[in-house]
Amino acid sequence: IASCLVGSEMCIRDRFVCLLFGLSFLGGEMKAQQKSAHETGLRSKSTSELAELEQVITKVNYDESKVPVYTLPDVLTLTNGRKVTTKKEWVEKRRPELLRLFETQIYGKAPVRSKDLHFRLLNEDREALGGLATRKEVAVYLTKDEKHYLTVLMYLPNRRKGTVPMFFGINFKGNHAIHPDEGITFPSEERMIAYGRKRMFPRGSAASRWPVEMLMEHGYGLATFYRGDIDPDFDDGFQNGVHPLYYKKGQTRPAEDEWGTLAAWAWGMSCAMDYFETDKDIDAKRIAIFGHSRLGKTTLWAGAIDPRFALVISNDSGCGGAALSRRKFGETVRAVNCQFTHWFCRNFWQYNDKEDTLPVDQHELIALMAPRPVYIASAEEDRWADPKGEFLSGVYASPVYELFGLPGLPVKEMPAVNQPVLSGTIGYHIRSGKHDINLYDWTQFVKFADKHLK
Ligand code: GCU
């Protein structure tokens, strides 16, 4: 458009044609942005909120020399200043203290799961994927009336003896999007209304992130459910999703220290785990949970609150996930809170631009997994998620693993790109490329799980 208006070498007719192209391109862009606003939770933002967000995002730092000098809270020092020197003190004193701080200040407290939780096998195909796997869909009902539920999709390798270990993670686009397999149920109209969506992503559209066949060949099961089953990913003041099911009389939204959407998704993972414990085909003691990006943040929190998960994998989880908040590199606490007003509990907003006053930092979230193995994955071009901050969380969580006589993350310097560190109880890699979860990431996760779960 600019060149049509000011370019000097174009004739009038070319200017006109270019202008038309430019305007129609802009129209398409605006439509795409409106769509993505719906997807990302920007739907209910006022003009002033959008202006604030733009300002926050343009101020983001990507210069390592401008990372502020910071002091991290020591993972092995209690709030009262006493040092933790034994496993017992960690388990009985420091861990519960940290868990409570993360719960009340960052993610929000989730309610105890209802006794009405119950399960039903919806369908099973023992000859799925050309005979490679058994596919099951299971409803995990959250209420007695069965109006609220999540649908867990599972694939189990047919070549197996006894129970299998399994990878389990929430998906972004719907169960049907993880594989072109026509046998996966496509969400009904009624479900789409519950999700607040007019249409769903096409079948198999997220398949590059879900190497189902590869996992079957390595002897792992795979389970997933759609995030919208627990809480659609936009801010509607917590009227849809599971939150209202647990409001006290007169309550209309979660209190300052109560669950946001990420904590609700993590809570949903525990509901699915309640089902896995009843399934005779899988070994519920060998379940590795994983998640990419916002679902990576969710997975770390799920691993922290539910010790039944045996191994925890964070992929590009960034701010509010594996990255240290105090580094303020890439996405900051204010940036994530302004853009995704529904993800964390309201108390987390107190730390906007005040990361130094946080009573915890994210290395302590990693430490909450100890002594269970945890894997942190970053991507070189994903600077928004601060790969170095993700790596350092693993380094600074390691003293807790060492209390258990385990190596934690065995390197202190960031490894080179595509040189995974698989030998410790904390694993790490930074791969080349963008913010995504791909076969390279999965190859490392499987190697790490082979070491710890087999
Ligand atoms: C945004 C957000 C990140 C998040 C990511 C995702 O980029 O700022 O915090 O991890 O979305 O979930 O894809």
Side-chain angles (χ1 to χ4, degrees):
I1 291 173
S3 62
C4 320
L5 298 177
V6 295
S8 57
E9 278 153 30
M10 268 189 218
C11 69
I12 293 285
R13 203 196 58 168
D14 285 355
R15 275 176 204 252
F16 182 68
V17 171
C18 272
L19 196 63
L20 277 184
F21 267 123
L23 287 174
S24 74
F25 174 76
L26 205 65
E29 274 293 284
M30 278 161 67
K31 267 203 202 116
Q33 276 186 20
Q34 278 162 8
K35 184 168 149 269
S36 89
H38 174 80
E39 292 311 315
T40 56
L42 296 180
R43 192 162 77 163
S44 52
K45 283 199 171 27
S46 66
T47 325
S48 66
E49 282 169 330
L50 284 172
E52 181 192 356
L53 181 59
E54 199 185 325
Q55 230 199 14
V56 170
I57 290 178
T58 43
K59 277 205 323 232
V60 155
N61 175 42
Y62 286 127
D63 180 349
E64 194 58 41
S65 72
K66 294 206 176 104
V67 168
V69 177
Y70 59 89
T71 311
L72 290 177
D74 178 28
V75 69
L76 288 179
T77 302
L78 286 156
T79 323
N80 66 15
R82 288 226 325 274
K83 274 267 175 201
V84 167
T85 54
T86 63
K87 267 194 290 194
K88 189 166 152 47
E89 281 172 325
W90 165 259
V91 172
E92 288 174 9
K93 297 216 168 77
R94 182 62 172 154
R95 190 179 190 281
E97 179 178 83
L98 283 172
L99 196 64
R100 209 162 22 255
L101 288 169
F102 277 105
E103 190 171 56
T104 57
Q105 304 302 303
I106 300 189
Y107 303 99
K109 285 189 279 190
V112 176
R113 295 187 296 287
S114 156
K115 294 209 171 50
D116 294 337
L117 208 73
H118 59 287
F119 324 111
R120 184 171 308 124
L121 178 65
L122 301 174
N123 57 63
E124 179 169 15
D125 177 0
R126 295 195 168 265
E127 291 302 319
L129 310 180
L132 184 68
T134 294
R135 184 191 58 246
K136 300 192 209 189
E137 290 179 325
V138 174
V140 173
Y141 294 108
L142 305 173
T143 50
K144 211 187 246 159
D145 63 11
E146 306 195 345
K147 281 199 186 132
H148 296 268
Y149 59 93
L150 40 117
T151 308
V152 177
L153 166 69
M154 296 164 72
Y155 284 98
L156 301 171
N158 279 342
R159 210 173 36 180
R160 64 178 191 267
K161 282 198 208 94
T163 57
V164 282
M166 188 168 73
F167 283 90
F168 165 45
I170 307 179
N171 65 70
F172 275 87
K173 294 186 172 176
N175 291 350
H176 65 282
I178 76 151
H179 197 284
D181 180 357
E182 293 277 337
I184 307 173
T185 303
F186 198 90
S188 61
E189 283 284 321
E190 189 199 8
R191 290 313 277 162
M192 285 197 244
I193 292 168
Y195 300 152
R197 298 191 62 96
K198 288 204 182 64
R199 52 198 168 82
M200 295 303 287
F201 296 91
R203 269 186 193 285
S205 53
S208 68
R209 292 182 168 185
W210 298 83
V212 184
E213 283 82 354
M214 181 269 231
L215 292 175
M216 299 303 115
E217 274 147 20
H218 282 84
Y220 289 98
L222 174 68
T224 185
F225 68 82
Y226 174 50
R227 61 188 159 140
D229 276 354
I230 286 289
D231 192 21
D233 195 359
F234 55 84
D235 190 351
D236 73 332
F238 298 102
Q239 299 314 304
N240 60 15
V242 290
H243 296 89
L245 298 179
Y246 285 87
Y247 287 157
K248 294 186 208 86
K249 204 160 175 264
Q251 189 176 8
T252 54
R253 58 175 299 133
E256 318 280 285
D257 63 350
E258 286 181 338
W259 53 345
T261 294
L262 301 188
W265 290 338
W267 175 93
M269 291 181 87
S270 292
C271 296
M273 183 58 160
D274 291 343
Y275 162 72
F276 298 142
E277 290 189 313
T278 69
D279 188 316
K280 302 265 178 316
D281 289 327
I282 57 183
D283 182 351
K285 296 219 155 35
R286 289 187 294 154
I287 293 185
I289 50 172
F290 67 92
H292 169 61
S293 209
R294 69 197 69 185
L295 298 175
K297 306 182 210 295
T298 302
T299 300
L300 288 172
W301 183 233
I305 54 173
D306 196 334
R308 293 175 298 174
F309 296 121
L311 191 155
V312 179
I313 302 167
S314 144
N315 193 81
D316 303 356
S317 60
C319 182
L324 293 174
S325 303
R326 279 171 173 75
R327 275 174 49 79
K328 296 191 231 175
F329 186 100
E331 188 171 33
T332 59
V333 170
R334 181 185 284 282
V336 76
N337 279 333
C338 284
Q339 196 175 356
F340 300 97
T341 44
H342 55 299
W343 279 1
F344 298 92
C345 74
R346 202 64 198 192
N347 274 345
F348 195 37
W349 287 60
Q350 296 170 52
Y351 306 100
N352 287 352
D353 297 329
K354 294 199 188 101
E355 283 84 348
D356 280 327
T357 63
L358 270 163
V360 290
D361 212 318
Q362 300 304 107
H363 60 303
E364 293 170 310
L365 178 65
I366 304 295
L368 290 177
M369 315 306 160
R372 292 165 295 157
V374 49
Y375 197 94
I376 304 169
S378 309
E380 192 184 15
E381 291 170 39
D382 187 19
R383 294 188 311 157
W384 181 243
D386 186 15
K388 185 164 178 193
E390 295 180 318
F391 168 75
L392 288 175
S393 271
V395 173
Y396 296 125
S398 295
V400 178
Y401 283 80
E402 285 152 18
L403 263 193
F404 286 87
L406 296 165
L409 185 54
V411 296
K412 303 291 167 241
E413 290 300 319
M414 192 127 168
V417 171
N418 300 332
Q419 296 293 319
V421 180
L422 296 164
S423 59
T425 320
I426 301 178
Y428 179 81
H429 75 245
I430 174 163
R431 68 157 163 75
S432 47
K434 293 197 175 29
H435 183 74
D436 195 3
I437 178 166
N438 65 20
L439 195 56
Y440 180 90
D441 300 311
W442 275 106
T443 306
Q444 317 317 317
F445 303 157
V446 167
K447 282 188 194 155
F448 191 69
D450 281 349
K451 239 173 72 110
H452 295 283
L453 297 185
K454 282 203 174 154

